[in-house]
Amino acid sequence: MWNTIAAEWVKLNNSSVWIWVILGGLGVSLTRLVLYAIGPEAYTLLAQNPWESYLNMNLTYFSLLIFPLVILAVISIVNNQEHRIDSWKVILTLPNPRWELLGSKLLTILILLATIFLLFVISTILFAYPIYWIHPETEFAYFQPLFFEFASDCVKVFGYSLGIVGLQFFFSIAFKNSTFPIILGIAFYLVGFLLFMALPNVAVNFPYSLPFLYKDIGISQSIDVNNFSGMGIRSCLVFACSVPISYMIFITRR
């Protein structure tokens, strides 16, 4: 298994996936660093812990605008390597079990997505200190970061995103045209966002809406996340169902 995972990483050496890893992991925190540097008065309330609003807003942008789209890009790049040069036939001649070949791709994707998330978390916390050095009135050094709450919310967003990972993995295996799974993913992402804003009771059962519902982020007055439960379980179930179906399609390839 480790050899097949290592082979996947070798294939990625010259791919654009690393650009997505860097942009996905650092994009939000870099943007917020610039915004705070330009006008901290828009985000700062004196004598109040600045970490709460700073961390919540960063994770809101990341969960709404960045991570779902990065999932589409990473999965497409990893699986499109085989579609692009039709190397599935070569891979399927290898002596490794097919579950191992497909599993190595899925594990590679999960590791890349976890790396993006880790970069986001680390950069979000570290970039607060240059903001404080430039603008001491932000008072980041006078308060403790809300590590536990932030980590808990990050775990929720990642877990709630597993349904998207599973479905996009299925689409990328089922369709050889790499453009079609991305179009499907973007369409479902937009539908998920609209449901999140307008019909939260429906959104709670739609996998592409779930990362937005990790907590009440104050965007829509009609949403009370405390009334919803089991979203993480739903997301994991979608993931758990999508992977075996992807495998069934994979083993039928010739």
Side-chain angles (χ1 to χ4, degrees), residues 122-252:
I122 293 173
S123 63
T124 291
I125 293 172
L126 291 183
F127 287 1
Y129 294 100
I131 293 171
Y132 169 73
W133 299 332
I134 298 170
H135 295 287
E137 66 271 22
T138 55
E139 299 184 331
F140 280 108
Y142 294 99
F143 294 89
Q144 288 294 323
L146 305 173
F147 286 124
F148 180 78
E149 182 180 342
F150 185 54
S152 175
D153 288 340
C154 287
V155 170
K156 281 184 181 179
V157 172
F158 193 86
Y160 290 6
S161 300
L162 286 177
I164 301 177
V165 175
L167 288 172
Q168 287 301 134
F169 189 73
F170 162 68
F171 294 149
S172 68
I173 294 296
F175 302 103
K176 288 190 176 182
N177 185 336
S178 62
T179 305
F180 190 59
I182 292 179
I183 293 174
L184 272 179
I186 293 174
F188 286 143
Y189 163 75
L190 293 175
V191 171
F193 187 81
L194 292 174
L195 291 176
F196 161 67
M197 294 294 294
L199 298 169
N201 290 326
V202 178
V204 74
N205 294 307
F206 190 66
Y208 288 77
S209 300
L210 296 182
F212 313 150
L213 294 164
Y214 71 96
K215 69 186 301 183
D216 186 357
I217 55 181
I219 289 182
S220 175
Q221 303 259 335
S222 63
I223 297 176
D224 184 0
V225 175
N226 294 325
N227 289 334
F228 304 139
S229 62
M231 290 179 288
I233 296 174
R234 290 187 186 94
S235 183
C236 290
L237 283 174
V238 172
F239 178 83
C241 292
S242 299
V243 172
I245 296 173
S246 302
Y247 179 70
M248 294 302 294
I249 294 174
F250 182 66
I251 61 176
T252 62

Side-chain angles (χ1 to χ4, degrees), residues 29-107:
S29 26
L30 276 173
T31 301
R32 294 281 285 167
L33 172 61
V34 172
L35 291 175
Y36 263 81
I38 293 173
E41 65 279 355
Y43 312 101
T44 303
L45 294 172
L46 295 178
Q48 290 191 20
N49 190 337
W51 287 99
E52 182 175 4
S53 62
Y54 170 74
L55 295 177
N56 283 339
M57 192 59 69
N58 276 25
L59 187 54
T60 295
Y61 289 146
F62 185 73
S63 64
L64 284 176
L65 304 175
I66 302 298
F67 197 52
L69 297 177
V70 168
I71 290 173
L72 311 188
V74 168
I75 293 177
S76 175
I77 291 169
V78 171
N79 284 340
N80 187 46
Q81 295 177 108
E82 320 305 343
H83 291 319
R84 188 177 60 240
I85 56 177
D86 199 21
S87 62
W88 286 114
K89 294 178 182 178
V90 176
I91 288 177
L92 295 176
T93 61
L94 297 175
N96 307 74
R98 292 199 176 188
W99 67 264
E100 186 176 300
L101 296 171
L102 192 66
S104 64
K105 286 191 171 294
L106 184 58
L107 281 176

